[in-house]
């Protein structure tokens, strides 16, 4: 050690404010030491943290009842494949029925999802193909505002009318409809009513979608002079919900849910809640046999997609996800195992491993603590 | 035109680096002179002259004369140009007529340059512009400069592509960060430039007193023009380069402080050119008519060539000039430059006066000068061949030559003089100061170069990614749906056109371009800028006097951690540069000089001379100087007379008060005795007039009071002080007499001439005449230059003693003298005067005169002056050696001195093998090559070998066998190069720099002679020393002491390097983990270029979400504590050779980055179903992104060793920024500022509200970081083990020999008082090494 610096050091040691110490780079600091001894507690803690979480999520997911019905290739009453009928584009309707047995009663807020696969809602051009202004009802007062070019080729119809709503997303809106029945023991069936609202994000409803003021009157011929329903829609915008005016038109929640594009090509979207009141039971869906009557409108066969109907309970930790639980458990046990091995090592081969770095040994810390106060001399 | 051919001779140029041959040439190769007209000079001949006689003496510069007679002047100028001087060219017939006419004395064709350049454009104004921009040019210029940077340009291209094509992300994401970066840089540079402007304005607006029309006008400094007469009053800063015209001092002198210029704190003397009238009043200038000629602006601070031309006839009726004008000198023996003749000389008429000393140069005259009996070098001029014969040409003017002693440069300060007058000769950018402060070429650090390489690598990676993705995209389009899109995705565009391919390509480019970190350079710059403050703040690196370290450029901070070769100067760098006289060799005997007082009764002396007993070296006897001791006394007389020391008022306690010299102690002791008689300061030089009654010499009385010796050479000062202690007191100078008090008796000497020391001659001389009329030339200088010129005296003995002194590490000087006859003196004086009249080639001629004068000398003896090692040098060199830094000592000193110092500072030990390669001549080049080859073959790379070379041998080796030299030198453990010129020093540095391994070099030095080396090396480190500040100014870093290098390199260098290297690594890392999920997402989105992240993430990631911790890391990380790094110097080896940025390390970071990115993306992907009913892109992107932010910050936390509260705080800030920005953007309606989150609306809180989100965060972070932690542990224990073993060999190697170890205990300076410079073991060792070193050593002893 040079005598200069040590001498100066001695001299300066007395009156050091925080700022002075910062300037002299002598702030007190912690130094993590990555010796087995130092890191094994960390690993143990993480292991102990992750494993229960994993177990929790795993068991919770396991306990969630989730019924999936892939009805892509379902048959109608004539025994024809609905997919074929739809693909012919004849406008002919096809309906099929799925019967199922509920072994355990379902509790809580029971949701009905539809799931599509191989549907690239996240394709860039698809994602972009919308006009947010139009969806907010900004379509002009006397003369209609042309839709954004993002909507092309679903912006303006060949006959010059404006698609309303425009864009590929809106055009491809999912339009299968489901009716649910409960089959009682006496052979009669009662419809299980479903709640159509509350499925979309509140913020979307509030900020993103608004029916135009001017053309509220759905029978206004002037409106349909200028606008036209999207090409692949079977019905008009104003027929989305004929009962609830607030859920109709652009403010229809099915539309809003659809318009929030999915991240992955296999996705499920929330469709309905089961109206427990219609079941007449105390907050649960009793076991028994049920059926779905499906109005099969949506074509997926052409792009090798599938359609699935999912009836599920909701858990505290979001939806059913066994994989996450497994990941958590495996990572947790790996970490725990590592922690134990390191702990063992730190006892067994202290001399070579726990040195951490030679320097720390020189300091006499021996790597016994995770962190050390490395106050500069 | 022969003249101009002459200019092409390379030897002239090399000899005269500053003379107009090499510099200041116009494009035709003509050299230029500037000529400044003051007053109305009647240069145009008789028909014009009378009209001009009445001209006002106002300012007349050739540039836009301000007075009303400008028109007239202009026309005159034109005529001057066209007629008088146009054909005055070099005439080969006009040579000096001296006994050995060696060099033609040439008269430069004066107007050559002026003819070509219109006067208006010749001289710049005095405005100082250090600023780079003006208000108008700032924006375009700055923008241009910024986009020359590859990163910025790259992002500009991306932004343009993004704006032009239909981009997947909003162009704002590229433009905003780019704009941010550009604006921040712009603000920084703008601010810096504003500061420069402010400083410029301060200087430019400083009031300057200018004399116009006989009255003082106050003008701004920037308006000062060439030719202005300025008046400066005491303590005033000199605004521009001026020639002194008048002074308030009675002897027409002026004192200067040149500290700003060369850092020397001693005052300098300047003289009014002899032959000018005394100007005492502003009105005197009304009648002043002069032409000042000087060479074009150049860089040399120590040389100035010029003339003042005075019109031949000045019969002024209305002027007092005629009477106040004094003769130059009537005594030709008196050197006109140093002493102004006594005032009592009879006033003569102007013409007469000039006739006397400088005969007017008339046509066809050879010489009219009659005073010296010998032929005097005469300058002749051909008449103007085209002009009328009767017209007055320049040749007819009377000429007063000007030298540096008449010039006051900008940046100096007038001291102790009430006022001076001066005529401005150089302004603004032409001034020597401005010429010397040119910007050096920017140096780039290793890290920066590597970062640039990284950048190219990343651009390559990016292109590979983009092309792959594009191809896959096309493939998906083609295979996936048989060339058709699904019905829900109908496209307007044709998908097989080139336009579409390009669109896809550019979209991917835009999507992935974040792999290149835009903010890297900004962060690096901020880190460097703020980081460099820590260097400056470090109190351990500042002296007690508070001289802080300097960091002139922050660009090279981290390069301090990369040094492999350190080139060090010796004097002032390794040593204190505080001199102490130790040894005299007089008349063949060696005398020791000691502070110990001699026997009592030796009359006020404190220091004593001792002689060692011949038999018993431990006994020594006291010797006192008595008037009878002839040899000793003569020796001391020379020392007391031959110097350039002045007696000056004592300065306030200055920085140099490092170690009190013996002399100071002596003074302290004397102080009580001597009643401090403070001299009245009426005249600075009237010392010695009053005498104390006691036996204390007068000088000592003064010195005990407020006076002291001052001089630029510390050796000289030490010698003169020693003489005082030995009762031979230099009492100062009164008029032209130097007074010396020898044992109480005053002796007066008239100084005829003084040849100041210069580096080429390596000696200085004075010619003095004592009262008895004996004339002596006294010389002192390096033995290599003096001994060959000596004819008589104990030459061999002195030679031997000099070697002995040198081997003890002392600096040696040889003293010699010769008696002159008066005739000889007159010849010399005549030649000198003639030579001084030259504007050009003067140095050449002077050199010849010097050579003649300083010859046939009688050797008197030699001196040995000790220069102590600086404190901490030994420890520092030891640490640096342990750190694997090879230290080379490059010194101008002798081989023996250098070797001795190398020993004493531990660079060599008795175990070292010495290779002494010295004293080779050009003819022996073959032998040299052979020797070097032989060494090369024999040497093992890790031998403890010290190569010792001298400059000449080095030069030869560099010319004939550079590879062999390089190979030997690089294998040697230490290299000591002696007798190096500044150029050679830089050549050595360059040689090492250019070896194939391209090592990083650093050069340390304190003097102007080290500047070349400092600028050549990768890192220049200046020692703020006594030799001036020039080295410190040119260096990248400056320290007050060599010992501070230990901390600067081992600690600061280490820290800086680790900080910056990891900062760069981390930047690339964090951008990889940012982009890879995006790439992976392509597989889910059908390669449709759908961005995974929202625009705000793309924008904010680098500048807010992950910026603070890395910046704090970059500023505060300490991989090891300061103490550890200094105690375990070998740790430095862990970082040299750019260890943290090797491909392996790069790969390590890359692999971890890929792992982290995969973890972030796939964990989110697999956990995604748990988020139902959330399913949209924005939410998924936010989930992935949150993981990335967490992991990126956590990764840094793992990498950080020094976790202070600020660091933790920075992490908190980082996360807070993420949450705040995202939350505001997502949740708050910002449409009023045109911010539309679109699909991101409400996403953030919606996601945060899902409990699984937090689980996923924990999972992602821990999964990603676990391998890092394990790696850290493994790596730590692995490297610590290897490090431990690696450290052993060096430790053993650096163990000292026994003899050396003892010496170190006493502060590093071996006890070399005995006459045994090398211990027996050393000599034996050396003797057995190889034949050559043996021979060489034997020749020393």
């Amino acid at each position: 050690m040079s005598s200069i610096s040590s001498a100066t050091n001695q001299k300066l040691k007395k009156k050091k404010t925080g700022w002075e110490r910062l300037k002299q780079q002598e702030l007190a600091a912690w130094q993590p030491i990555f010796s087995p001894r130092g890191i094994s507690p960390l690993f143990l803690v993480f292991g102990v943290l992750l494993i229960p979480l994993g177990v929790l999520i795993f068991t919770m997911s396991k306990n969630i009842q989730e019924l999936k019905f892939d009805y892509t290739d379902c048959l109608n009453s004539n025994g024809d494949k609905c997919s074929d009928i739809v693909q012919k584009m004849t406008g002919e309707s096809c309906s099929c029925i799925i019967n199922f047995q509920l072994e355990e009663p379902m509790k809580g807020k029971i949701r009905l999802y539809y799931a599509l696969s191989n549907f690239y809602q996240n394709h860039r051009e698809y994602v972009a193909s919308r006009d947010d202004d139009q969806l907010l009802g900004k379509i002009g007062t006397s003369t209609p505002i042309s839709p954004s070019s993002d909507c092309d080729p679903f912006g303006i119809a060949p006959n010059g009318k404006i698609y309303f709503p425009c864009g590929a997303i809106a055009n491809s809106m999912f339009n299968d409809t489901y009716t649910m029945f409960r089959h009682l023991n006496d052979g009669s069936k009662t419809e299980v009513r479903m709640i159509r609202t509350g499925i979309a994000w509140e913020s979307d409803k509030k900020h993103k979608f608004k029916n135009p003021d001017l053309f509220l009157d759905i029978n206004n011929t002037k409106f349909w002079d200028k606008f036209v329903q999207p090409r692949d829609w079977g019905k008009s915008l104003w027929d989305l919900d004929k009962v609830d005016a607030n859920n109709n038109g652009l403010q229809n929640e099915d539309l809003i849910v659809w318009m929030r594009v999915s991240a992955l090509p296999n996705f499920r979207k929330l469709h309905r809640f089961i109206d427990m009141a219609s079941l007449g039971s105390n907050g649960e869906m009793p076991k028994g046999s049920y059926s779905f009557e499906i109005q099969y409108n949506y074509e997926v066969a052409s792009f090798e997609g599938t359609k699935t109907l999912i009836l599920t309970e909701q858990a505290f930790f979001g939806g059913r996800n066994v994989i996450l639980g497994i990941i958590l458990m495996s990572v947790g046990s790996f970490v725990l195992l590592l922690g134990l091995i390191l702990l063992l090592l730190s006892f067994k081969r202290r001399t070579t491993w726990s040195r951490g770095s030679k320097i720390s040994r020189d300091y006499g810390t021996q790597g016994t603590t995770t962190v050390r106060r490395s106050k500069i001399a | 035109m022969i003249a101009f051919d002459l200019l092409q001779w390379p030897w002239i140029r090399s000899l005269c680096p500053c003379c107009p041959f090499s510099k200041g040439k116009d494009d035709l190769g003509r050299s230029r002179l500037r000529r400044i007209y003051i007053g109305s000079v009647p240069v145009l001949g008789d028909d014009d002259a009378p009209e001009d006689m009445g001209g006002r003496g106002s300012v007349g510069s050739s540039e836009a004369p301000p007075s009303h007679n400008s028109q007239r002047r202009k026309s005159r100028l034109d005529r001057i140009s066209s007629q008088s001087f146009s054909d005055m060219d070099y005439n080969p017939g006009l040579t000096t007529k001296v006994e050995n006419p060696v060099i033609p004395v040439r008269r430069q064709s004066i107007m050559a340059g002026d003819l070509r350049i219109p006067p208006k454009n010749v001289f710049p104004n005095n405005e100082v512009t250090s600023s780079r921009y003006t208000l108008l040019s700032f924006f375009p210029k700055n923008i241009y400069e910024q986009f020359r940077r590859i990163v910025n340009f790259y992002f500009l291209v991306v932004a343009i592509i993004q704006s032009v094509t239909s981009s997947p992300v909003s162009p704002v994401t590229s433009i905003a960060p780019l704009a941010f970066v550009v604006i921040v840089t712009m603000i920084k540079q703008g601010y810096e430039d504003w500061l420069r402007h402010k400083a410029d304005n301060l200087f430019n607006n400083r009031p300057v007193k200018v004399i116009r029309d006989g009255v003082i006008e106050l003008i701004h400094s920037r308006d000062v023009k060439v030719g202005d007469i300025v008046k400066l009053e005491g303590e005033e800063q000199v605004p521009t380069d001026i020639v002194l015209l008048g002074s308030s001092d009675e002897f027409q002198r002026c004192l200067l402080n040149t500290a700003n210029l060369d850092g020397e704190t001693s005052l300098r003397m300047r003289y009014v050119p002899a032959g000018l009238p005394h100007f005492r009043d502003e009105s005197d200038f009304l009648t002043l008519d002069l032409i000042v000629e000087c060479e074009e602006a150049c860089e040399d601070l120590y040389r100035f060539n010029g003339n003042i031309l005075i019109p031949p006839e000045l019969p002024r009726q209305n002027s007092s000039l005629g009477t106040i004008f004094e003769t130059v000198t009537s005594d030709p023996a008196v050197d006109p430059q140093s002493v102004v003749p006594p005032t009592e000389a009879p006033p003569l008429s102007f013409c007469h006066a000039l006739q006397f000393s400088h005969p007017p140069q008339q046509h066809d005259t050879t010489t009219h000068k009659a005073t010296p009996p010998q032929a005097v070098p005469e300058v002749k001029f051909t008449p103007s061949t085209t002009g009328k014969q009767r017209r007055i040409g320049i040749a007819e003017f009377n000429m007063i030559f000007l030298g540096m002693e008449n010039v006051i440069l900008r940046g100096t300060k007038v001291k102790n003089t009430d006022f001076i007058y001066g005529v401005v000769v150089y302004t603004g950018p032409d001034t020597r100061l401005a010429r010397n402060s040119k910007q050096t070429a920017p140096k780039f650090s290793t890290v920066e170069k590597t970062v640039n390489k990284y950048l190219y690598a990343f651009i390559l990676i990016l292109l590979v990614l983009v092309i792959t993705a594009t191809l896959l995209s096309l493939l998906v389009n083609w295979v996936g749906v048989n060339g058709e899109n699904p019905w829900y995705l109908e496209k307007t565009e044709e998908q097989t056109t080139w336009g579409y391919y390009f669109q896809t390509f550019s979209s991917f480019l835009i999507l992935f371009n974040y792999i290149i970190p835009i903010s890297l350079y900004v962060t690096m710059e901020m880190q460097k800028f703020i980081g460099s403050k820590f260097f400056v703040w470090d109190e351990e690196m500042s002296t007690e006097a508070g001289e802080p370290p300097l960091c002139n450029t922050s660009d090279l901070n981290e390069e301090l951690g990369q040094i492999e070769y350190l080139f060090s100067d010796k004097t002032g760098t390794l040593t204190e540069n505080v001199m102490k006289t130790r040894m005299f060799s007089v008349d063949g005997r060696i005398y020791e000089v000691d502070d110990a007082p001699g026997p009592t009764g030796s009359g006020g002396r404190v220091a004593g001379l001792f002689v060692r007993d011949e038999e018993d070296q431990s006994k020594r006897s006291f010797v006192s100087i008595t008037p009878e001791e002839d040899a000793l006394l003569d020796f001391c007389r020379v020392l007391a007379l031959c110097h350039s020391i002045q007696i000056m008022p004592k300065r306030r306690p200055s920085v140099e008060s490092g170690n009190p010299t013996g002399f100071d102690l002596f003074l302290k002791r004397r102080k009580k005795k001597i009643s401090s008689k403070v001299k009245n300061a009426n005249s600075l030089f009237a010392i010695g007039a009053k005498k104390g009654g006691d036996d204390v010499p007068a000088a000592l009385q003064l010195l005990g009071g407020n006076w002291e010796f001052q001089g630029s050479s510390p050796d000289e000062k030490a010698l003169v002080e020693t003489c005082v202690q030995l009762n031979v007191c230099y009492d100062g100078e009164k008029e032209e007499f130097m007074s010396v008090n020898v044992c109480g008796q005053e002796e007066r000497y008239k100084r005829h001439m003084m040849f100041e020391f210069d580096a080429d001659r390596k000696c200085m001389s004075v010619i003095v005449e004592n009262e008895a009329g004996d004339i002596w030339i006294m010389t002192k200088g390096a033995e290599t230059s003096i001994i060959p010129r000596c004819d008589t005296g104990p030459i061999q003995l002195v030679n031997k003693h000099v070697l002995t002194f040198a081997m003890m590490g002392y600096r040696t000087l040889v003293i010699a003298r010769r008696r002159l006859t008066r005739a000889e003196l007159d010849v010399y004086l005549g030649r000198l005067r003639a030579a001084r009249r030259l504007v050009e080639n003067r140095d050449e001629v002077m050199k010849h005169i010097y050579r003649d004068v300083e010859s046939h000398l009688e050797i008197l003896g030699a001196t040995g002056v000790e220069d102590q090692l600086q404190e901490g040098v030994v420890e520092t060199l030891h640490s640096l050696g342990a750190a694997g830094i090879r230290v080379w000592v490059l010194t101008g000193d002798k081989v023996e001195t250098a070797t001795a110092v190398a020993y004493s500072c531990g660079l060599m030990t008795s175990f070292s093998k010495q290779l002494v390669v010295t004293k080779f001549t050009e003819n022996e080049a073959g032998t040299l090559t052979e020797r070097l080859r032989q060494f090369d073959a024999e040497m093992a790379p890790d031998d403890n070998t010290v190569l010792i070379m001298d400059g000449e041998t080095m030069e030869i080796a560099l010319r004939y066998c550079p590879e062999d030299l390089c190979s030997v030198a690089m294998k040697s453990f230490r290299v000591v190069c002696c007798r190096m010129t500044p150029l050679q020093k830089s050549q050595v540095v360059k040689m090492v720099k250019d070896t194939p391994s391209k090592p990083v070099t650093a050069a340390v030095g304190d003097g102007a002679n080290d500047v070349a080396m400092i600028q050549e090396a990768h890192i220049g480190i200046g020692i703020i020393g006594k030799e001036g500040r020039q080295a410190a100014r040119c260096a990248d870093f400056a320290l007050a002491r060599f010992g501070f290098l230990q901390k600067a390199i081992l600690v600061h260098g280490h820290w800086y390097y680790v900080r910056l290297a990891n900062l760069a690594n981390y930047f690339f890392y964090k951008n990889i983990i940012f982009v890879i999920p995006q790439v992976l997402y392509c597989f889910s989105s059908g390669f449709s270029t759908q961005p995974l992240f929202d625009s705000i993430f793309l924008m904010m990631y680098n500048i807010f979400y992950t910026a603070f911790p890395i910046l704090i890391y970059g500023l505060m990380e300490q991989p090891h504590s300061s103490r550890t790094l200094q105690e375990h110097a070998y740790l430095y080896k862990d970082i040299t050779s750019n260890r943290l940025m090797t491909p392996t390390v790069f790969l390590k970071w890359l692999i971890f980055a890929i792992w982290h990115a995969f973890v972030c993306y796939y964990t989110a992907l697999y956990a995604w179903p748990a988020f139902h009913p959330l399913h949209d892109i924005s939410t998924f992107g936010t989930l992935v992104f949150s993981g990335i932010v967490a992991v990126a910050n956590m990764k840094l936390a793992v990498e950080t060793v020094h976790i202070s509260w600020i660091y933790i705080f920075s992490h908190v800030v980082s996360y807070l920024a993420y949450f705040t920005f995202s939350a505001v953007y997502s949740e708050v309606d910002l449409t009023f500022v045109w911010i539309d989150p679109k699909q991101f609306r409400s996403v953030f809180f919606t996601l945060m509200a899902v409990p699984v989100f937090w689980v996923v965060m924990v999972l992602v972070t821990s999964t990603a970081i676990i391998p890092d932690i394990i790696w850290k542990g493994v790596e730590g224990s692995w490297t610590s083990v290897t490090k431990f073993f690696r450290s052993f060999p060096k430790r053993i190697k650096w163990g000292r020999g026994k003899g050396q170890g003892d010496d170190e205990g006493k502060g590093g300076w071996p006890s070399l008082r005995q006459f045994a410079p090398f211990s027996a073991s050393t000599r034996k060792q050396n003797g057995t090494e190889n034949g050559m070193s043996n021979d060489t050593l034997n020749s020393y002893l």
Side-chain angles (χ1 to χ4, degrees), chain A residues 1-5 8-9 11-12 16 19-20 22-32 34-35 39 42-43 46 49-50 53 57 111 113 118-127 130 132 152-154 168 171-172 201 203-204 207-208 231-232 257 259-265 267-270 298-300 302-303 314 316-321 323-324 327-328 331 334-335 338 352-353 355-359 361-363 374 376-377, chain B residues 166-168 486-492 500 503 507 534 537-540 542 544 871-872 875 1043-1044 1046 1052 1055 1059 1081 1083-1086 1088-1091 1115-1116 1118-1124 1126-1128 1130-1131 1161 1165-1180 1198 1200-1206 1236-1239 1241-1243 1246 1251-1252 1255-1256 1258-1259 1262-1263 1266 1269-1270 1272-1274 1276-1277 1280-1281 1284 1291:
Chain A
M1 190 66 201
S2 129
S3 55
I4 313 170
S5 42
T8 357
N9 238 342
K11 193 185 66 197
L12 296 171
K16 282 246 173 98
W19 173 241
E20 269 307 306
L22 175 65
K23 274 168 78 172
Q24 297 306 314
Q25 308 196 69
E26 288 176 11
L27 281 183
W30 297 86
Q31 177 186 1
F34 296 95
S35 64
I39 53 181
L42 188 79
F43 279 32
F46 263 95
L49 192 78
L50 290 179
L53 263 175
I57 289 178
R111 293 145 194 247
Y113 288 98
N118 209 19
F119 190 104
Y120 282 83
Q121 237 197 344
N122 59 6
H123 196 284
R124 181 165 78 87
E125 280 150 75
Y126 184 86
V127 172
R130 63 193 285 152
D132 282 334
D152 292 340
F154 301 101
N171 177 63
S172 58
W201 289 26
S203 68
D204 280 356
H207 302 294
K208 295 283 174 198
R231 189 190 72 190
D232 294 318
V257 167
M259 294 299 289
R260 189 161 269 275
V261 291
S262 279
L264 301 170
F267 60 88
R268 61 168 80 170
K269 288 190 184 230
L270 184 56
Y298 205 69
E299 201 277 316
V300 292
S302 65
F303 54 87
Q314 179 78 354
F316 168 69
F317 272 112
R320 177 191 159 97
N321 189 338
I323 301 172
L324 181 62
I327 295 175
L328 274 169
V331 171
F334 177 70
V335 173
L338 262 175
T352 50
W353 262 77
R355 193 177 286 131
S357 77
K358 201 187 82 61
I359 305 312
R361 200 193 53 159
D362 290 341
Y363 269 155
S374 79
I376 292 98
Chain B
S166 98
S167 129
W487 62 268
Y488 57 84
L489 188 69
E490 215 161 81
K491 287 182 184 173
T492 41
Y500 179 78
Q503 167 75 42
S507 296
F534 284 120
W537 283 333
D538 196 330
E539 284 170 359
E540 285 179 28
S542 56
E544 269 133 48
E871 200 186 341
E875 292 92 334
F1044 297 151
Q1046 184 177 0
H1052 285 282
W1055 286 349
R1059 287 166 185 174
Y1081 186 63
F1083 289 92
S1084 293
S1085 67
S1088 62
T1089 70
Q1090 169 62 29
L1115 292 175
M1116 309 193 62
Q1118 298 179 8
H1120 302 287
S1121 73
S1122 163
R1123 206 180 96 195
T1124 311
Q1126 291 183 66
E1127 282 173 0
H1128 305 271
Y1130 57 86
L1131 289 172
Y1161 182 72
L1165 192 71
Y1166 286 113
W1168 189 229
F1171 287 84
H1172 290 313
L1174 303 180
H1175 59 84
D1176 63 308
I1177 297 180
S1178 295
T1179 319
F1180 182 65
V1198 170
T1200 310
V1201 174
H1202 188 80
I1203 300 179
S1204 58
W1205 66 267
I1206 297 184
D1236 181 9
K1238 299 213 165 165
Q1239 292 301 293
R1241 191 71 206 246
S1242 290
V1243 161
T1246 310
V1252 184
V1255 175
V1256 170
V1258 173
L1259 180 64
S1262 52
T1263 314
I1266 284 167
I1269 293 177
I1270 293 173
K1272 277 261 150 197
V1274 173
S1277 55
S1280 73
V1281 170
F1284 186 70
R1291 283 183 181 175

Side-chain angles (χ1 to χ4, degrees), chain A residues 49-62:
Chain A
L49 192 78
L50 290 179
I51 294 174
L53 263 175
V55 170
L56 186 74
I57 289 178
F58 183 75
T59 46
M60 276 182 145
S61 294
K62 275 282 179 206

Side-chain angles (χ1 to χ4, degrees), chain B residues 242-293:
Chain B
I242 60 177
V243 166
L244 197 59
L245 288 184
S247 160
S248 61
D249 178 67
E250 78 179 282
F251 296 111
Q252 294 287 287
R253 321 176 207 198
C254 160
L255 279 175
L256 287 183
N257 180 344
T258 56
N260 272 352
L261 220 55
D262 54 15
E264 283 179 26
T265 42
S266 55
L267 300 182
R268 296 275 179 81
M269 184 82 68
R270 291 290 186 261
Y271 307 88
V272 175
L276 277 186
H278 280 198
F279 298 106
R280 301 203 174 276
D281 205 297
E282 284 77 48
S283 57
D284 291 345
F285 290 97
L286 275 172
T287 52
L288 175 71
D289 294 328
L290 287 177
I291 297 177
V292 179
E293 283 181 343

